[in-house]
Amino acid sequence: MLGTGYNGDMSDADTPRDLLIDGELRPAEGGDRLDVLDPATEEVLASVASAGAADASAAADAAAAAQPGWAATAPRERAEVLRRAFELMTARSEDLARLVTRENGKVLAEARGEVAY
C-alpha cells in the first residue's frame, strides 16, 4: 500500500497502480490501463489499471467470501480496524490533499476540505 513516506507524488514507487482484489494487487483482467493526467499540464502522473466487468465480478466475489469472517469479528476489533484506517488517512491528509489537487485541478484549500470531510 502507500508507503509511510508518501508525499503526494504519483511517481512514488510505493504507490499502488493495480487493482486490490482479495488482498492482492493485480493488473486488470484485460490488461487495460488508464493514464491519470494533471489537468493543468496534461502531464501523465501515473498509469493505473482500468477495471472491467470481470474485475468487478472478482472483487464482488472476494468481498462476499470475506464477509462471513468480518461478520464474525468482534465489534470492538472491527472498530479498531476502522479507527486505524481513519488514523492513517488523517496522518496523510496533506499528502492526500496534494494528490487530489494534482489529479483533479482543485485548489489546495478545497482539496484539504474534501480530504477532511
Side-chain angles (χ1 to χ4, degrees):
M1 300 305 109
L2 295 179
T4 55
Y6 184 71
N7 63 4
D9 178 1
M10 291 183 75
S11 64
D12 184 328
D14 289 340
T15 304
R17 292 178 182 84
D18 284 330
L19 307 173
L20 180 61
I21 299 175
D22 200 19
E24 295 183 12
L25 287 171
R26 62 189 197 193
E29 176 90 14
D32 293 340
R33 308 289 299 173
L34 175 69
D35 287 341
V36 179
L37 303 177
D38 179 327
T41 66
E42 296 188 354
E43 169 193 4
V44 175
L45 301 174
S47 177
V48 298
S50 182
D55 302 304
S57 181
D61 290 346
Q67 195 281 329
W70 180 252
T73 301
R76 175 68 182 186
E77 190 176 340
R78 291 194 310 251
E80 289 171 2
V81 169
L82 295 174
R83 179 64 184 191
R84 181 66 180 139
F86 167 79
E87 289 169 354
L88 287 169
M89 290 185 68
T90 300
R92 297 179 178 147
S93 63
E94 183 66 16
D95 295 336
L96 293 170
R98 289 184 184 282
L99 179 58
V100 168
T101 295
R102 288 205 65 201
E103 70 175 321
N104 292 314
K106 288 189 176 195
V107 295
L108 187 55
E110 186 176 326
R112 285 177 179 138
E114 184 175 317
V115 169
Y117 181 72

